[in-house]
Amino acid sequence: KEFLSGQPAKAVLAHMSKAPQVPLHPHTMVRILEEAKKLLEMRAKYAGAVMKVSVPNSRVPDGGEVAKAAMQPQQRRDAKVVVLGDTHGQLNDLLWALACLGLPSPLNPYVMNGDIADRGTMGVEIFAVMLCFMLQFPKHNAVVINRGNHECLSMNAAMGFKAEISGKYGPDWGNLMLEMFGDIFALLPTCSVIGGSICVVHGGVSRNPEQQMQLLAELPEGVRRSEINPRRIEGDPYQDCYEDCHWADPQDAQGSMPSTVE
């Protein structure tokens, strides 16, 4: 039986519960990445860099005001989207969230707000679980993975994800998977708009906030790559906006300025 037929995410979760220290077979991992790339390519064609996520069971129309106070407690529990950010290879954090908040499904969608990779040691497994849930519901946005600044191959070389993959799968399989992850990173949406009202983005407000969403909607081909602005181009409005969406940090002062953090 093909692994990705039926309910692959539950099979991966069962493996994680029994032997999380044992990496998934390389054939299985490559197949997950291949199928995920196909689905993300299809999503990128119709959605571009901005993914729309509807709130299931919500009585508030998309684009309407968020009327939490006007809803009954049970309605609020039923009408939800789970947003998780910066799991950074901490598989136990993801498993805790899945146990407490329910498994991803069309009625319980998840938005992973970037930075799955690097720092922790189980980034591959987090991607495997969430990509399998994404593949299990290909016609629904049951799982949306926004790109973070660590979904970038140059960051992965310095911050641990490359070493994690090589340590688990060796140089041959590891180099292949890293290249495949780079292809997937380039296809991940930059932000998700929930219910037509709430923008979820890993970085934040760009240096041109009034045009931020328009620039994202009009990103020219070539901006979304396996590395974020690898040539360090400054002054191009599209490239600046794309980079800011993944890297920008809040500050107390008004306006925007270059980061002073190395």
Side-chain angles (χ1 to χ4, degrees):
K1 181 180 179 181
E2 289 285 343
F3 172 76
L4 291 177
S5 64
Q7 295 185 327
K10 289 188 176 180
V12 172
L13 280 175
H15 174 79
M16 300 303 171
S17 65
K18 293 177 181 178
Q21 74 282 2
V22 179
L24 294 173
H25 194 281
H27 291 173
T28 299
M29 197 64 218
V30 166
R31 181 71 191 283
I32 292 171
L33 295 175
E34 287 176 340
E35 295 302 316
K37 181 181 177 181
K38 293 177 186 177
L39 179 57
L40 288 168
E41 285 175 334
M42 183 174 64
R43 287 185 175 184
K45 286 182 180 179
Y46 72 78
V50 180
M51 184 66 68
K52 296 180 180 179
V53 181
S54 295
V55 182
N57 299 318
S58 174
R59 296 187 180 183
V60 180
D62 281 0
E65 292 186 7
V66 179
K68 178 179 178 181
M71 299 174 67
Q72 297 298 318
Q74 183 61 44
Q75 293 173 341
R76 292 201 297 269
R77 286 193 293 270
D78 293 341
K80 70 175 183 179
V81 174
V82 178
V83 180
L84 298 178
D86 292 69
T87 49
H88 274 307
Q90 301 295 327
L91 178 64
N92 285 340
D93 289 351
L94 174 67
L95 297 180
W96 178 88
L98 295 176
C100 292
L101 302 171
L103 300 180
S105 72
L107 295 179
N108 193 42
Y110 274 65
V111 173
M112 303 292 290
N113 195 28
D115 279 13
I116 293 175
D118 289 334
R119 295 183 177 160
T121 60
M122 304 292 281
V124 172
E125 286 72 20
I126 295 175
F127 274 115
V129 170
M130 299 313 286
L131 289 175
C132 279
F133 275 114
M134 182 188 296
L135 292 168
Q136 193 163 310
F137 304 102
K139 296 182 180 180
H140 303 274
N141 289 337
V143 171
V144 174
I145 302 176
N146 288 346
R147 187 177 193 176
N149 59 305
H150 282 265
E151 276 69 57
C152 171
L153 292 187
S154 58
M155 289 291 289
N156 303 152
M159 299 298 291
F161 191 54
K162 179 180 180 180
E164 177 191 341
I165 297 172
S166 297
K168 291 175 179 176
Y169 292 104
D172 294 335
W173 282 109
N175 287 337
L176 171 62
M177 288 185 199
L178 190 65
E179 181 180 347
M180 297 177 76
F181 270 113
D183 293 340
I184 285 175
F185 294 165
L187 294 166
L188 295 177
T190 299
C191 68
S192 299
V193 177
I194 299 175
S197 302
I198 302 170
C199 180
V200 179
V201 60
H202 180 78
V205 178
S206 75
R207 66 196 80 178
N208 189 1
E210 291 81 8
Q211 293 183 296
Q212 183 169 356
M213 299 307 292
Q214 180 180 347
L215 289 169
L216 286 177
E218 299 172 353
L219 281 179
E221 188 174 352
V223 172
R224 301 168 71 185
R225 304 175 62 158
S226 60
E227 297 188 34
I228 298 171
N229 196 7
R231 296 184 176 87
R232 296 293 180 260
I233 297 170
E234 295 286 340
D236 177 82
Y238 296 102
Q239 188 67 70
D240 289 348
C241 176
Y242 190 69
E243 185 170 11
D244 291 347
C245 284
H246 302 96
W247 275 98
D249 287 320
Q251 63 176 12
D252 293 330
Q254 293 186 3
S256 62
M257 63 183 66
S259 174
T260 58
V261 179
E262 294 294 335

